[in-house]
Amino acid sequence: MDRARNFIPGPNQELLDIKPIRSLAPMFPAPMGVNINQSSTPPLVCVTPVGQFPTGFGGGNLPAFGSFATFNATVNGFSQAGTSANGAIDATPISAYKTRSGATALGDDEPYSGNQTSASGRKAKKRSAGLSADSSDGVKAKRPKPVYKNLVAGKELAFLPASPNNPREIVEAVHMTFEALRRRHLQMDETQDASRRADLKAGAIMMASNIRANVGKRVGTAPGVEIGDIFYFRMELCIIGLHAPSMGGIDYMSAKFGADEDSVAICIVAAGGYENEDDDTDTLVYSGSGGNSRNTEERHDQKLERGNLALERSMHRKNEIRVVRGFKDPAMVAGKIYIYDGLYKIQESWTERTKFGVNCFKYRLQREPGQRDGAAIWKMTQRWIQDPSTRGRVILRDLSSGTESIPVCLVNEVDHEKGPGQFTYTNQVKYLRPVSSMTPMQGCGCQSVCLPGDANCACGQHNGGDLPYSSSGVLVCRKPIVYECGEACHCTLNCRNRVSQKGIRFHFEVFRTANRGWGLRCWEPIRAGAFICEYTGEVIDELKVNLDDSEDDYIFQTVCPGEKTLKWNFGPELIGEQSTYVSAEEFQPLPIKISAKKMGNVSRFMNHSCSPNVFWQPVQYNHGDDKHPHIMFFALNHIAPMTELTYDYGVVGEETSHRAKTCLCGSLTCRGLF
DNA sequence: GAAAAGTCATTTGA
DNA sequence: CTCAAATGACTTTT
């Protein structure tokens, strides 16, 4: 379009200069249409001791485990029977649980305590003296169950989010911690050539320390889990209490209906690969489980038992069933993404003869009306990515005018604003003095690519021994500065230690928000730790006092962000590693100041939130002046397609108070100003 | 060389 | 205690 060419920095006088009202309100209405009895039983969080202390758990050398605290977020959401435990119980102080004898207290916040088989850890089974690791050759020795003896008791408490009554915050905190732990394990496994499955290791630790949400099973929504939430591992569904079985597709429980009791399905995982009619995302045909023998090709008819029976009973009881849909992750060769798609009900069931000649159960599920879109958004954005012209309400196909390798779409589905005020799109930071005059950065001598665990890699050493990114390119840990390989390095551009310097990798769109001016969101799913974009613009010299900058709403400064951002690293603490946590008091801002008023990229459209999904991270690669690093943005947790990207502009302090604005982020932990 | 199929090590909860 | 399961990472085959 010609218009695109003219837009920037062309003369768009008719465009209103939009004062960025940079703050945020929830972009979707809260998920409604889900009739849970929340009013009668307010959410409660109960801090209770973990169940049975695992016998193999370090014995006497870890007395601290006695005060192990459970961290349960339980909201009593389903009241079909009167079996529910109820009455809000105040959070019990941790100190009340000094010994492990109080284990039975767990039942108090379990909605279905009667049906629970105590949450006791069957974990760590007894393990033969530990030397079974390399047993005699030839004989296939069973791998000993790992014992997480480095678990640090009491550290779990650091998780408690600022507002422990908000299930969403708890789910996010648990989820974020799982990911941090998983990434760290991945990093360690690579250097030590240990066995894989960091997802299982992270999951096992979370389970063992009982850092999980929605511990009791329930029919209906899982508090704190929202439609559209995305996951990369089945273990994630497990620890946030959405779907308990680690592999199985059907989660079910025994529930009371008046006087009788029935086994009903509560959640299913539809792992894709099935005949989904594209036009109708509201129905789903699900196959029953079973029929495939473990290691032989022999197959048999499915039986009406367990999950299949529960589905059958659910059809008659007409209870709501959570549905998680699996899709192939377009970003990974063999990856899968799970999307929570809300509540469904079973309409009918039948049996079918499969191509193997055995009988298989089929269930047709219909999505409950009135819920926000989940998987439908995913399908829609996938279509846009394949063919951007299918995206409607577009003002500009590419706001970057070709500067970015992937076009940045400008859309307005809200009002008649034609676009943001004039600025020059740039994907580079403009320094006042040439980069070449700055201290050069030392490079590594690695051939081809840098590898984890290579003691000779100067870049690995510079980063503290580990490469900062995992093999899939996600940042493992937030740190004062990340050193990527640069011009001085011998490695190629394929080196995994070159992530943020390669520029954006996603289809972004700048969109009109309802009340906060323009905002930024993305068509692709973004996984936690993934690189998003750089804050580009003009570097303002710290020595030059700019009296004018109160007028500049596009200034980036390294102001101390809120707890959520600071806690991103949390997780390694759980396995006894030294904390990388930086408290607000210890936080040291950098002198760098960047203005994106006149020139910038997509990052200038990112709004503030006190409960953000993105954080900034200083990165170096082209010079050695650590006071003036690149400011790179990474995902705080997994971000579903079309979710607004926000970061924490920082706590208002003396220096920034003249620019403080009222925050509209709507988060329960909103600080009011930013 | 990419995609599909096979192999293996694991978990949770019934 | 045993078992099943719409797992996930990796290797081998087509």
Side-chain angles (χ1 to χ4, degrees), chain A residues 429-440 537-544 591-593 620 622-630:
Chain A
V429 177
K430 189 179 163 196
Y431 290 91
L432 290 177
R433 52 198 166 120
V435 168
S436 58
S437 75
M438 298 179 177
T439 343
E538 298 172 287
V539 171
I540 299 171
D541 200 311
E542 67 273 18
L543 299 175
K544 194 164 48 177
I592 192 168
K593 223 184 212 186
Q620 282 290 61
N622 51 359
H623 62 73
D625 179 2
D626 282 359
K627 303 280 190 207
H628 290 86
H630 292 271

Side-chain angles (χ1 to χ4, degrees), chain A residues 263-277:
Chain A
S263 167
V264 291
I266 54 177
C267 186
I268 59 170
V269 177
Y274 224 69
E275 92 267 9
N276 279 328
E277 300 98 283

Side-chain angles (χ1 to χ4, degrees), chain A residues 140-430:
Chain A
K140 196 171 156 194
K142 253 190 189 166
R143 182 186 294 272
K145 207 155 187 135
V147 174
Y148 299 104
K149 58 183 159 202
N150 286 331
L151 281 172
V152 176
K155 284 290 184 183
E156 309 80 340
L157 303 179
F159 279 96
L160 290 168
S163 59
N165 290 326
N166 182 348
R168 179 60 175 172
E169 301 232 333
I170 291 164
V171 165
E172 283 187 343
V174 169
H175 202 176
M176 202 165 86
T177 306
F178 169 87
E179 265 296 299
L181 213 44
R182 198 197 118 253
R183 291 188 308 265
R184 178 66 185 127
H185 266 290
L186 211 55
Q187 194 178 45
M188 290 190 298
D189 290 357
E190 279 183 333
T191 56
Q192 295 161 13
D193 201 28
S195 78
R196 53 251 166 198
R197 296 304 299 260
D199 57 320
L200 295 185
K201 288 182 189 166
I205 292 169
M206 301 289 283
M207 289 291 195
S209 22
N210 222 7
I211 298 172
R212 46 198 290 202
N214 298 312
V215 172
K217 288 194 177 192
R218 77 199 66 231
V219 177
T221 54
V225 183
E226 291 176 8
I227 293 173
D229 281 356
I230 59 173
F231 309 91
Y232 289 78
F233 295 94
R234 286 290 300 267
M235 231 16 167
E236 296 171 60
L237 308 180
C238 240
I239 56 153
I240 61 161
L242 185 61
H243 185 90
S246 58
M247 296 182 188
I250 307 167
D251 194 4
Y252 58 100
M253 67 181 288
S254 175
K256 280 196 174 162
F257 295 85
D260 10 319
E261 199 165 321
D262 232 341
S263 167
V264 291
I266 54 177
C267 186
I268 59 170
V269 177
Y274 224 69
E275 92 267 9
N276 279 328
E277 300 98 283
D278 251 17
D279 48 336
D280 187 8
T281 48
D282 282 354
T283 65
L284 169 71
V285 175
Y286 191 81
S287 307
S289 90
N292 305 309
S293 277
R294 175 82 147 220
N295 33 18
T296 71
E297 287 112 43
E298 99 187 43
R299 290 164 203 272
H300 55 82
D301 288 353
Q302 291 186 345
K303 295 181 186 129
L304 194 58
E305 57 183 23
R306 304 164 192 251
N308 297 343
L309 180 61
L311 284 168
E312 194 66 28
R313 299 312 306 150
S314 278
M315 183 172 69
H316 291 110
R317 295 296 186 182
K318 302 190 195 313
N319 68 293
E320 294 165 325
I321 298 172
R322 301 188 291 269
V323 169
V324 178
R325 288 176 181 253
F327 295 96
K328 201 179 118 42
D329 181 356
M332 303 277 281
V333 198
K336 220 183 241 179
I337 293 187
Y338 299 97
I339 301 176
Y340 174 52
D341 199 32
L343 302 174
Y344 284 62
K345 278 183 182 172
I346 302 178
Q347 284 184 316
E348 56 171 329
S349 77
W350 66 95
T351 59
E352 244 176 62
R353 207 166 255 295
T354 69
K355 59 181 173 183
F356 302 106
V358 297
N359 283 329
C360 156
F361 294 106
K362 297 280 178 177
Y363 304 87
R364 184 187 308 284
L365 290 96
Q366 181 73 36
R367 197 163 188 259
E368 287 285 280
Q371 303 180 91
R372 78 153 80 147
D373 284 341
I377 289 184
W378 204 83
K379 291 203 165 179
M380 180 178 74
T381 51
Q382 286 300 115
R383 201 159 50 234
W384 295 347
I385 292 164
Q386 282 190 349
D387 181 5
S389 69
T390 55
R391 172 66 168 123
R393 308 299 301 265
V394 171
I395 297 173
L396 252 186
R397 283 269 160 250
D398 184 10
L399 188 59
S400 85
S401 309
T403 308
E404 304 284 9
S405 52
I406 299 173
V408 177
C409 199
L410 176 67
V411 297
N412 188 346
E413 298 176 307
V414 173
D415 54 33
H416 294 100
E417 290 294 337
K418 287 288 195 295
Q422 185 182 320
F423 73 102
T424 304
Y425 197 101
T426 176
N427 57 5
Q428 309 237 297
V429 177
K430 189 179 163 196

Side-chain angles (χ1 to χ4, degrees), chain A residues 67 422 476 510:
Chain A
S67 61
Q422 185 182 320
V476 173
V510 172

Side-chain angles (χ1 to χ4, degrees), chain A residues 483-494:
Chain A
Y483 298 95
E484 293 194 359
C485 289
E487 284 172 14
C489 296
H490 285 179
C491 58
T492 67
L493 287 176
N494 290 329

